[in-house]
Amino acid sequence: MSDSEQHTSVIEVEDLVAHYGERQILSGVNLNIEKGEIRVIMGGSGSGKTTLLRHLLGLNKPSSGVVRILGQDINRIGKSAMYKLRRRMGVAFQGGALLGSMSVGENIQLPLRIHTKLDESTIRIMTRMKLEVVNLAGFEDLMPSELSGGMIKRAALARAVITDPQLLFFDEPSAGLDPVVSAELDELILRLRDAMNMTIVVVTHELESAFKIADRITVLSGGNVLITGTVDEVRASDNEQIQNMLNRRPRDDTVNADEYLRRLTTVRR
């Protein structure tokens, strides 16, 4: 697709199949994320949401299928093109992933030092601007060990948006945070989308957070998409697995004795 063509989708996933060894993790996933939306990807443990995120970031190669980011098939472009594409993307990893040997400011500046040739004065100004955005003004000289969990998440978010990306990925933003700090982070995500006109993909298992920030939600189970819809559409779904998730009901995992014995006695080659 040429640059002159109008294209509102920033992420397109077609029939994505992924394996870890012989184990199939994603089973023909289809996904379409529009410009400017906040898409939440949800699912229980082992549903495939983290694997999907890794494929969207180009960290894993699929067994089959297409992943198109900002109009480019990321499994067909070269390293140079992928490097340029990643400059248009920001990632806030679960846990923050700040480097403990660097100050908060130095952590945030890393993408600018890697991807640009800006002078020191401009880098400092941009760092302070992003710290203001995430309500961490004046904290640039602290070390990550001196920050609370919520502050680490916000610092990681400042680093992710320091280059003004078109597309932001956020992995489990609320994990390990108390409800008040989690709510503040939700508000920050909404403000960032509106202020910077970004498309944001959030992987989370936190229902309250998902319902607050999502334009649309994609629910995965067993490597398949159960539903993609608005918050109201997900709430109204008659799918038993989705209702179990919404109402925090445990799965009814009935063990087949013969199948269990077969798994124990099968010799793997």
Side-chain angles (χ1 to χ4, degrees):
M1 178 173 291
S2 67
D3 291 338
S4 61
E5 291 181 275
Q6 295 296 317
H7 205 291
T8 59
S9 296
V10 296
I11 296 177
E12 297 165 287
V13 178
E14 300 172 3
D15 299 320
L16 179 63
V17 176
H19 290 80
Y20 288 142
E22 296 182 357
R23 183 185 175 201
Q24 184 167 304
I25 307 300
L26 299 177
S27 308
V29 168
N30 289 282
L31 197 67
N32 189 75
I33 299 177
E34 299 296 318
K35 181 179 180 180
E37 81 166 292
I38 297 178
R39 173 67 63 88
V40 169
I41 298 174
M42 301 191 71
S45 177
S47 63
K49 60 184 184 296
T50 299
T51 299
L52 176 57
L53 177 62
R54 290 183 62 84
H55 280 79
L56 296 180
L57 295 173
L59 299 176
N60 288 15
K61 294 288 185 182
S63 301
S64 62
V66 176
V67 178
R68 193 174 292 113
I69 305 293
L70 297 171
Q72 299 187 64
D73 184 341
I74 63 173
N75 296 302
R76 297 177 68 89
I77 61 177
K79 289 184 179 180
S80 177
M82 189 67 203
Y83 179 81
K84 291 179 181 178
L85 181 61
R86 284 197 171 117
R87 293 176 62 179
R88 302 163 68 187
M89 300 158 55
V91 185
F93 295 101
Q94 184 177 355
L98 299 182
L99 299 178
S101 60
M102 293 183 172
S103 69
V104 171
E106 290 168 337
N107 269 281
I108 293 170
Q109 293 164 8
L110 273 177
L112 294 178
R113 299 192 183 281
I114 293 171
H115 296 298
T116 75
K117 296 182 180 179
L118 295 173
D119 60 79
E120 286 297 316
S121 177
T122 302
I123 288 176
R124 284 196 300 271
I125 291 171
M126 291 181 67
T127 301
R128 288 169 183 165
M129 287 174 62
K130 292 305 188 288
L131 284 169
E132 288 274 1
V133 169
V134 300
N135 300 319
L136 284 179
F139 288 85
E140 62 261 39
D141 293 328
L142 293 184
M143 302 301 288
S145 60
E146 299 176 279
L147 302 182
S148 67
M151 293 167 74
I152 288 174
K153 296 272 189 177
R154 283 185 279 148
L157 187 53
R159 182 177 61 188
V161 301
I162 189 69
T163 58
D164 295 328
Q166 295 172 252
L167 181 57
L168 173 66
F169 296 92
F170 210 155
D171 187 17
E172 296 287 2
S174 301
L177 302 181
D178 67 59
V180 173
V181 176
S182 179
E184 292 172 349
L185 198 57
D186 291 339
E187 290 290 344
L188 179 56
I189 291 171
L190 291 168
R191 290 203 308 270
L192 277 172
R193 189 271 303 272
D194 295 339
M196 302 179 69
N197 195 31
M198 287 188 298
T199 304
I200 302 178
V201 178
V202 178
V203 173
T204 184
H205 66 278
E206 299 285 348
L207 286 171
E208 186 174 353
S209 177
F211 289 161
K212 182 175 182 178
I213 66 176
D215 292 308
R216 288 191 292 170
I217 297 173
T218 294
V219 181
L220 296 179
S221 178
N224 296 286
V225 175
L226 292 182
I227 188 174
T228 290
T230 64
V231 170
D232 288 340
E233 289 169 341
V234 171
R235 286 184 187 274
S237 172
D238 58 4
N239 183 283
E240 183 179 3
Q241 292 183 66
I242 292 173
Q243 287 303 317
N244 286 344
M245 179 186 73
L246 298 182
N247 295 289
R248 299 176 62 85
R249 291 196 292 258
R251 292 175 295 183
D252 183 16
D253 291 334
T254 302
V255 177
N256 182 296
D258 292 336
E259 174 62 17
Y260 180 63
L261 182 61
R262 185 194 65 78
R263 290 203 309 267
L264 290 178
T265 58
T266 297
V267 177
R268 297 187 181 275
R269 298 183 183 277

